[in-house]
Amino acid sequence: QKKLVESGGGSVQSGGSLRLSCKASGFIFSKYCLGWFRQVPGKEREEVATMNADGTTTYAPSVKGRFTVSHDNDKLGFFLQMDNLRPEDTAVYFCAADPAGWTYGGAYHECKYDTWGHGTQVTVSS
């Protein structure tokens, strides 16, 4: 069974840091097609940071320079380091993966994020 489990959410004051973790199981894990998304009630889900099929990394303009996505193949995990947090970063954060990512061979391919974690709440107070 393909599964992703997030951890590391919580409450922090503006300017603080949090590190989210996502542990994968049930599929071949690679550094391709891994993503972090967030959602605020009443709003559409937003893409925060993605590790793409071609090996590049994409960040939403609102988090670029403050957030860093990384992975650890040995630990079957990927991470979102969030620094200089702002109240507008408050949301439920989800990790997602395309389990077929390892088949794209590092070439451009649209990722199909069909495996999702349950979400973890991040709250930033001013």
Side-chain angles (χ1 to χ4, degrees):
Q1 181 184 1
K2 296 176 286 187
K3 191 175 181 181
L4 296 173
V5 179
E6 300 103 338
S7 61
S11 297
V12 66
Q13 288 192 327
S14 183
S17 298
L18 284 172
R19 179 178 167 88
L20 304 183
S21 299
C22 184
K23 181 70 180 292
S25 61
F27 61 94
I28 296 175
F29 185 77
S30 75
K31 63 179 180 180
Y32 304 116
C33 294
L34 305 174
W36 288 96
F37 300 77
R38 66 187 181 187
Q39 190 165 24
V40 175
K43 292 189 177 182
E44 291 191 0
R45 186 173 57 205
E46 176 188 17
E47 181 180 298
V48 175
T50 56
M51 301 181 73
N52 305 314
D54 60 0
T56 59
T57 302
T58 302
Y59 294 94
S62 61
V63 308
K64 200 168 186 179
R66 300 188 297 123
F67 290 12
T68 304
V69 63
S70 61
H71 81 291
D72 186 329
N73 262 23
D74 291 340
K75 296 182 179 179
L76 303 181
F78 59 110
F79 314 96
L80 185 67
Q81 177 67 40
M82 305 185 293
D83 298 317
N84 192 19
L85 282 160
R86 304 167 180 168
E88 54 264 39
D89 295 319
T90 295
V92 178
Y93 283 71
F94 299 87
C95 61
D98 176 349
W102 66 278
T103 67
Y104 304 147
Y108 174 78
H109 196 286
E110 183 177 354
C111 298
K112 299 176 182 178
Y113 290 103
D114 61 4
T115 300
W116 291 82
H118 54 84
T120 186
Q121 176 70 44
V122 170
T123 302
V124 184
S125 58
S126 57

